[in-house]
Amino acid sequence: MKILVINSGSSSLKYQLFDYDNKKVIAKGLCERIGIDNPHFKHEDASGHVINEDRRLDSHGDAVRTMIDTLLDPEFPVIGKLDEITAVGHRIVHGGPYFSKPVIMTEESKDSVRKCFPWSPLHNPANLIGVEVCESLMPGIPQVGVFDTAFHHSMPPEAYMYGIPYEYYEKYGVRRYGFHGTSHAYVTRRASELTQFEWNASHRLITCHLGNGASFAAVKGGVCIDTSMGLTPLEGIMMGTRCGSIDPAIVPFLAKLDNLSLDEVDGLLNHKSGIYGISGISSDFRDVHAAASQGNYRAKLAVQMFCYQAVKILGSFIAALGGIDTIVFTAGIGENDSVVRQSICEGISYRGLKIDDDINNATHGKEVKLSTDDSLVEVFVIPTNEELSIAMQTVDLLALA
Ligand code: AMP
């Protein structure tokens, strides 16, 4: 069975075609700078055939046609006919209060995706264009929407409400939604297979998606009960360039003192803050570690702040879960950065958590159990795979497995 996964952005379209039975990517590609200058197309398939060249891509329609023509190219065929593709799974960033699970895209579900535009004005319209173009160019093939927010839909109101007047929840849907849901869902599923504790309704798991964007999910019995990102992906731990949770009064304070518009403050908090803003060097942990090892105070501080904030969030989620059985690290930092993992695990050692330092130091981007046999908390590194997660959720929805 072949499942195509599409991640459509405002000027880009990424795709991966899975041989689902073997969980293997048989082709993947990226159309960049759609509708702007210097459009570019990259493609590679499992046989090693690679395309990497400028292409005319005036619209998302052009991008999808380019992808289809490439997959069907008689000289380097990935598939013989379009109907070999069983279904298409589309990443959709925001499902608002409407989507708790993947859905087949119908006129009704597309209307609900449109209702989510105010919460994700850059991503959702682009995601929907991807769906509509595929509907018209791949008739008869089910198009499935998989939402970044859906995994967090199970949070109770006390976790998702903010302490502001209730009318703003009713009028504008101001509440916590959470993000990185396909990643949290993927590593939760894998943790359920790896755990040596009983995987039942009481199992207490925290998934730590630590990448350029970073978020945590508190998961009880496989169900998300809280997450660190909020109405937008700015809340929670400080990130590559995002400030994370701060005193909200800082916004008017900076606007007044530096005579900044709200958009300028928003830009500052999203693009100039976090690891980059504190270190003054880079948003990338590799650069910041290198500077810290040369004695750079602000680089060291940035890493210390990140780890300290992670421990505080983990501590609050351990309280929310009533204890902890399993912790999972994933994404760029979680999978690769042994220094950050070691520091965070040290902060949770009061719970009887112990990791094997040699295994931790040797682990980069592979699935591994870090905790020792006598640790009271299991710790895993599980590489995330958001595209495979979308393919799996697509297959589950269509009951194709
Ligand atoms: P992601 O958003 O999941 O792709 O993660 C990207 C981030 O992971 C980068 O900005 C780095 O901060 C971090 N990262 C990637 N590789 C490494 C590594 N080998 N060591 C430390 N951090 C890494």
Side-chain angles (χ1 to χ4, degrees), residues 4-18 28-32 34 60 63-64 67 88-94 120 122-131 134 143-144 146 148 182 385-388 390-391:
L4 180 65
V5 172
I6 301 254
N7 184 351
S8 168
S10 53
S11 64
S12 67
L13 187 136
K14 282 187 223 161
Y15 61 87
Q16 288 196 10
L17 182 65
F18 285 90
K28 63 179 177 182
L30 167 63
C31 299
E32 287 176 293
I34 300 168
H60 284 76
V64 172
M67 172 191 76
V88 184
H90 293 264
R91 177 190 183 211
I92 299 183
V93 166
H94 219 300
S120 182
L122 295 180
H123 292 102
N124 267 43
N127 301 155
L128 192 58
I129 289 173
V131 172
C134 287
Q143 307 291 326
V144 172
V146 179
D148 280 14
T182 52
N385 190 332
E386 292 175 82
E387 290 76 18
L388 180 56
I390 292 170

Side-chain angles (χ1 to χ4, degrees), residues 254-274:
L254 290 183
K256 281 182 202 145
L257 281 188
D258 259 3
N259 198 22
L260 301 174
S261 68
L262 281 182
D263 280 349
E264 285 170 324
V265 179
D266 190 56
L268 185 116
L269 300 179
N270 269 293
H271 305 300
K272 295 188 180 155
S273 299

Side-chain angles (χ1 to χ4, degrees), residues 209-213 283-286 289 331-333 336-337 364:
H209 177 108
L210 307 180
N212 198 30
S283 60
D284 191 306
F285 269 72
R286 287 162 288 197
H289 282 309
I333 300 159
N336 293 294
D337 194 326
H364 304 286

